[in-house]
Each structure stands twice: as structure tokens, then as C-alpha cells.
Amino acid sequence: MTPQFWLWLGFAGMAAGAAVILFMAKRRTPAEEADGIIHGIVPIIAACSYFAMATGQGSLVLPAGPDAADVARQFYFARYIDWTFTTPLLLLGLSRTAMHSGMRRPAIVWGLIGSDLIMIVTALAFGLSNVAAVKWTWFAISCGAFVAVFYGIFVQLREENAGERADVRSAFMRNAVFLTAVWCAYPVVLLIGQDGLGFLSPTLALAVIAILDLTAKVVYGIMATKETTRAVDRDLAEGPKSASLRRAA
């Protein structure tokens, strides 16, 4: 299969996934509507990114580096633009699940998003670099920011989530483990792909990232939307007072 196949598959999968998520999302409460929009817009952004890459507008050819073994390579910068918008939205959605009864500590969310943006921007710098010392310094910084994101999810958000009822705690852990497990594969692919050590062929690297993107944005979005629906079902079943405690933003 060619690189174009995987890029067009990514576009089609994201577009279809966005339609499914937005169709599934209920609008019985402001919070439920907001969560549906958050998870629906993520694959829309990703679809635009894949369309740009498939049509040649989202990539450029980087010249060979100073090492004699280096060769020119196709660099897909559009995916980093995608990740700059979509990963903060995914973290926002996860934070809303963790603090189901109200966004009590927005500073945690800002810290998560800030660490995430550092991770993405430094990964972009890693991919653009041809000088080994510079490249691997950027990679190390990006991984350090990734660790900070993990800390925010599994320490800070989990502390806030501990005060929620049992079904919300379970939903948060399922979402957090699923999303972060998928995210852990990205730095590995970047490390061994064409932008890193070059162990993967360009087509294989594109295929793996396309599958990861579809899993993190479409599969996870459907999963998170269902979790929100179940939580709001219980809110409404317990009465107007319980539903009113659900965050409205």
C-alpha cells in the first residue's frame, strides 16, 4: 500500500468518525453538549490535516543532513499542527470527565495543556532537525514534557477525581488508561521512524501513525462520548438537583 492510501484512509476515517461522534452526542444538558462538541471537533481537525497531507500541502522535503548517510526526507508538518489543537482538546475532555461534578481546579487543566504544547512543539523541532545533538536534545525535552502530562493525568486529575462517585471514577480511569496507552506509542514511532533512527520505512511509519490517530481520536472519542452519556443518564435519574451539579461549561 502506498503512502497516499494511508493518508486518504486517515482523511476518510476521521471524517466518518466525526459524523458518528456528533450523531451520538446527546444534548440533554449543556455539559453533555459541550463534551460532544469537544470530541466531535477533534477528528474534524484531523481530517483537515490528513487532507492537506494527502494533497501535498501538508508536507515538505527536508534536505539531507551533514552526515554522509543522511538522505532527503518527506516531513509531514501538518500532523504537528493537528496535534497542537487536538491533543489539548482531548485533555480538556478527559479533565471534564475527571471533574464531572464541576471544574474545581482549572489550573490543572492549563498545566496539562501547557505541558502538552511543549511536548508537541519540541517534537516538531526534533523532526525538523538534521544535526544529531540538536535533534536528540529536542526529543529528550519532548519526552520530559510527556512525563509532565502523565503526572497531571494520573496524580493531579486523579486526586480531583477521587471525590466523584464510583461510576465516574471508573469512567475516568478507563479513559485515561486507554488514551495514554495509545499516546505512548507515538514517541516510539517518531524515534524509530524516518524523522528519528530510520528503522521504519516512510510508508510503514505513515500507516502506524494513521492507525494511532484513528484510535486516539475516533475510537477514543466514541468511547468518551458513551461514558459521558452514561454519567449524565445517572445524573438525570437521580433527579434535577444531581443534574444541576453537573458542570455546565
Side-chain angles (χ1 to χ4, degrees):
M1 295 179 182
T2 66
Q4 291 300 108
F5 169 83
W6 293 105
L7 293 173
W8 284 114
L9 177 66
F11 168 71
M14 293 298 180
V20 170
I21 292 169
L22 291 172
F23 178 79
M24 288 174 51
K26 299 184 185 299
R27 294 164 179 80
R28 297 170 297 180
T29 65
E32 200 172 19
E33 182 178 35
D35 283 359
I37 292 171
I38 288 170
H39 291 296
I41 202 171
V42 164
I44 292 175
I45 294 170
C48 294
S49 168
Y50 272 92
F51 181 78
M53 291 188 287
T55 56
Q57 295 179 311
S59 65
L60 53 84
V61 177
L62 293 180
D67 193 314
D70 290 340
V71 295
R73 57 192 168 92
Q74 195 82 13
F75 181 71
Y76 294 93
F77 64 86
R79 64 168 55 125
Y80 294 90
I81 299 174
D82 166 354
W83 295 341
T84 298
F85 290 97
T86 57
T87 53
L89 285 171
L90 290 170
L91 287 170
L92 176 60
L94 184 63
S95 298
R96 290 170 60 85
T97 299
M99 293 182 276
H100 178 79
S101 60
M103 192 65 74
R104 297 176 294 278
R105 291 181 64 191
I108 294 177
V109 184
W110 287 114
L112 274 170
I113 291 174
S115 299
D116 175 72
L117 291 176
I118 292 170
M119 177 181 72
I120 300 302
V121 171
T122 52
L124 171 63
F126 156 78
L128 287 169
S129 300
N130 280 326
V131 178
V134 175
K135 174 184 285 290
W136 297 112
T137 299
W138 283 126
F139 185 78
I141 295 171
S142 183
C143 290
F146 197 14
V147 172
V149 172
F150 269 74
Y151 177 82
I153 292 172
F154 289 102
V155 177
Q156 294 177 308
L157 279 185
R158 193 174 181 184
E159 286 175 353
E160 290 304 305
N161 181 246
E164 301 287 345
R165 63 179 190 248
D167 64 313
V168 174
R169 294 196 303 271
S170 297
F172 167 70
M173 284 306 298
R174 282 193 295 270
N175 288 0
V177 170
F178 183 94
L179 184 62
T180 55
V182 176
W183 278 5
C184 279
Y186 282 92
V188 176
V189 177
L190 294 180
L191 173 65
I192 63 178
Q194 290 298 298
D195 295 338
L197 298 172
F199 295 158
L200 298 181
S201 70
T203 301
L204 181 56
L206 271 178
V208 174
I209 289 183
I211 292 168
L212 289 174
D213 277 346
L214 288 167
T215 305
K217 297 176 173 67
V218 175
V219 177
Y220 174 77
I222 292 171
M223 172 182 168
T225 300
K226 287 182 177 179
E227 295 286 8
T228 298
T229 298
R230 281 193 285 265
V232 174
D233 282 344
R234 180 163 174 179
D235 291 342
L236 297 175
E238 291 179 354
K241 182 178 180 180
S242 175
S244 69
L245 293 175
R246 175 75 166 100
R247 62 191 184 283

